[in-house]
């Protein structure tokens, strides 16, 4: 029996598959990097909870406001939320 030789070329991969995969991986890397930066920022923010109540009062915030801001979703900047809340309280608004 003679051995059959396959002369068919394998199907060519579409060039957009590689491009789409690289783009998806870049987006995923970007999301991981954003999440890492958000976690670092939140960890730094949580150091406020270690401060004495008198120091927090000097800064112009209360421990309850810091704790509330720390419970915000990670994608939100807790420092910005705390500053807005403290500013509204100083203005006399409910905020």
């Amino acid at each position: 029996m003679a051995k059959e030789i396959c002369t068919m070329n394998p199907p060519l991969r579409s060039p957009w598959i590689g491009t789409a995969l690289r783009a998806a991986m870049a987006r995923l890397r970007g999301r991981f990097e954003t999440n890492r930066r958000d976690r670092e920022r939140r960890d730094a923010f949580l150091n406020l909870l270690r401060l004495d109540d008198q120091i927090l009062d000097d800064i112009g915030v209360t421990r309850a406001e810091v704790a509330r801001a720390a419970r915000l979703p990670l994608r939100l900047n807790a420092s910005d939320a705390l500053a807005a809340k403290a500013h509204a309280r100083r203005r006399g608004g409910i905020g």
Side-chain angles (χ1 to χ4, degrees):
M1 232 201 260
K3 200 172 198 182
E4 243 182 76
I5 299 174
C6 182
T7 58
M8 290 177 50
N9 292 329
L12 296 175
R13 285 190 297 166
S14 180
W16 68 268
I17 292 175
T19 304
L21 185 59
R22 279 190 297 279
M25 291 303 291
R27 282 193 306 274
L28 187 60
R29 264 192 311 274
R31 285 185 182 174
F32 279 126
E33 180 61 24
T34 299
N35 188 277
R36 184 190 62 77
R37 280 193 315 260
D38 289 346
R39 284 191 182 283
E40 285 177 356
R41 188 177 60 219
R42 186 59 58 89
D43 288 344
F45 178 82
L46 289 174
N47 285 325
L48 286 173
L49 290 173
R50 295 180 180 168
L51 297 177
D52 185 58
D53 286 336
Q54 180 61 41
I55 294 172
L56 290 174
D57 187 48
D58 290 344
I59 294 171
V61 297
T62 66
R63 185 167 302 279
E65 291 170 340
V66 173
R68 192 174 310 117
R71 288 190 302 269
L72 290 172
L74 194 59
R75 70 182 185 282
L76 297 178
N77 189 331
S79 298
D80 291 344
L82 178 63
K85 179 74 172 172
H87 182 69
R89 183 173 43 82
R90 284 192 301 269
R91 272 194 341 247
I94 295 173

